[in-house]
Coordinates of all heavy atoms in Angstrom, one line a residue:
I103 N -16.3 34.7 -27.9 CA -17.2 35.8 -28.0 C -16.5 37.0 -27.5 O -15.9 37.0 -26.4 CB -18.5 35.5 -27.2 CG1 -19.3 34.3 -27.8 CG2 -19.4 36.7 -27.1 CD1 -20.6 34.0 -27.1
T108 N -15.9 32.8 -23.3 CA -16.7 31.8 -23.9 C -16.2 31.4 -25.3 O -16.1 32.3 -26.2 CB -18.2 32.3 -24.0 OG1 -18.7 32.6 -22.7 CG2 -19.1 31.2 -24.6
I109 N -15.9 30.1 -25.5 CA -15.4 29.7 -26.8 C -16.5 29.3 -27.6 O -17.5 28.7 -27.2 CB -14.5 28.4 -26.5 CG1 -13.4 28.8 -25.5 CG2 -13.8 28.0 -27.8 CD1 -12.6 27.6 -25.0
L127 N -17.1 21.2 -24.8 CA -17.5 21.1 -26.2 C -16.3 20.6 -27.0 O -15.2 21.2 -26.9 CB -18.0 22.4 -26.7 CG -19.2 23.0 -26.0 CD1 -19.5 24.4 -26.5 CD2 -20.4 22.1 -26.3
P152 N -21.0 28.1 -35.6 CA -22.1 27.2 -35.4 C -23.1 27.3 -36.5 O -23.4 28.4 -37.0 CB -22.7 27.7 -34.1 CG -21.6 28.4 -33.4 CD -20.8 29.0 -34.4
D154 N -26.4 25.9 -36.6 CA -27.9 25.8 -36.3 C -28.3 26.9 -35.4 O -29.4 26.9 -34.8 CB -28.2 24.5 -35.8 CG -27.4 24.1 -34.5 OD1 -26.5 24.9 -34.2 OD2 -27.6 23.0 -34.0
C155 N -27.5 27.9 -35.1 CA -27.9 29.0 -34.2 C -27.0 30.3 -34.5 O -26.0 30.1 -35.2 CB -27.7 28.6 -32.8 SG -26.0 28.2 -32.3
K156 N -27.5 31.4 -34.1 CA -26.7 32.6 -34.3 C -25.9 33.0 -33.0 O -26.4 32.9 -31.9 CB -27.6 33.8 -34.7 CG -28.8 34.1 -33.7 CD -29.7 35.1 -34.4 CE -30.9 35.4 -33.5 NZ -31.9 36.3 -34.1
V157 N -24.7 33.4 -33.2 CA -23.8 33.7 -32.0 C -24.3 35.0 -31.3 O -24.3 35.1 -30.1 CB -22.4 33.9 -32.5 CG1 -21.5 34.3 -31.3 CG2 -21.8 32.6 -33.1
P195 N -32.3 30.6 -33.9 CA -32.3 30.9 -32.5 C -30.9 31.2 -32.1 O -29.9 30.9 -32.7 CB -32.7 29.5 -31.9 CG -32.3 28.5 -32.9 CD -32.5 29.1 -34.3
G196 N -30.8 31.9 -30.9 CA -29.5 32.2 -30.4 C -28.8 31.0 -29.8 O -29.5 30.1 -29.3
C197 N -27.5 31.0 -30.0 CA -26.7 29.8 -29.4 C -26.8 29.9 -27.9 O -26.7 30.9 -27.3 CB -25.3 29.9 -29.9 SG -25.1 29.8 -31.7
V198 N -26.8 28.7 -27.3 CA -26.7 28.6 -25.8 C -25.4 27.9 -25.6 O -25.1 26.8 -26.0 CB -27.8 27.7 -25.2 CG1 -27.6 27.5 -23.7 CG2 -29.2 28.4 -25.5
F199 N -24.5 28.6 -24.9 CA -23.1 28.1 -24.6 C -23.1 27.4 -23.3 O -24.0 27.5 -22.5 CB -22.1 29.2 -24.7 CG -22.2 29.9 -26.1 CD1 -22.8 31.1 -26.3 CD2 -21.6 29.3 -27.2 CE1 -22.9 31.7 -27.5 CE2 -21.6 29.9 -28.4 CZ -22.3 31.1 -28.6
T200 N -22.0 26.8 -23.0 CA -21.8 25.9 -21.8 C -22.2 26.6 -20.5 O -23.0 26.2 -19.8 CB -20.4 25.4 -21.7 OG1 -20.1 24.7 -22.9 CG2 -20.3 24.4 -20.6
G201 N -21.6 27.8 -20.3 CA -21.9 28.5 -19.1 C -23.3 28.9 -19.0 O -23.9 28.8 -17.9
Q202 N -23.9 29.4 -20.1 CA -25.3 29.8 -20.1 C -26.2 28.6 -19.8 O -27.2 28.7 -19.1 CB -25.7 30.4 -21.4 CG -24.9 31.7 -21.7 CD -25.1 32.2 -23.1 OE1 -25.3 31.4 -24.0 NE2 -25.1 33.5 -23.3
A203 N -25.9 27.4 -20.4 CA -26.7 26.2 -20.2 C -26.6 25.8 -18.7 O -27.6 25.4 -18.1 CB -26.1 25.1 -21.0
D204 N -25.5 25.9 -18.1 CA -25.4 25.6 -16.7 C -26.2 26.5 -15.8 O -26.8 26.1 -14.8 CB -23.9 25.7 -16.2 CG -23.0 24.6 -16.8 OD1 -23.6 23.6 -17.3 OD2 -21.8 24.7 -16.8
I205 N -26.2 27.8 -16.1 CA -27.0 28.8 -15.4 C -28.5 28.4 -15.5 O -29.3 28.4 -14.5 CB -26.8 30.2 -15.9 CG1 -25.3 30.6 -15.5 CG2 -27.8 31.2 -15.3 CD1 -24.9 32.0 -16.1
L206 N -28.9 28.1 -16.8 CA -30.3 27.8 -17.0 C -30.7 26.5 -16.2 O -31.8 26.4 -15.6 CB -30.6 27.6 -18.5 CG -30.5 28.9 -19.3 CD1 -30.6 28.5 -20.8 CD2 -31.6 29.8 -19.0
K207 N -29.8 25.5 -16.2 CA -30.1 24.3 -15.5 C -30.2 24.5 -14.0 O -31.1 24.0 -13.3 CB -29.0 23.3 -15.8 CG -29.3 21.9 -15.2 CD -28.1 21.0 -15.5 CE -27.9 20.7 -16.9 NZ -26.8 19.8 -17.2

Side-chain angles (χ1 to χ4, degrees):
I103 294 179
T108 301
I109 308 169
L127 299 174
D154 55 357
C155 60
K156 55 187 177 184
V157 175
C197 298
V198 177
F199 302 101
T200 305
Q202 295 170 328
D204 290 342
I205 292 172
L206 290 174
K207 186 184 296 184

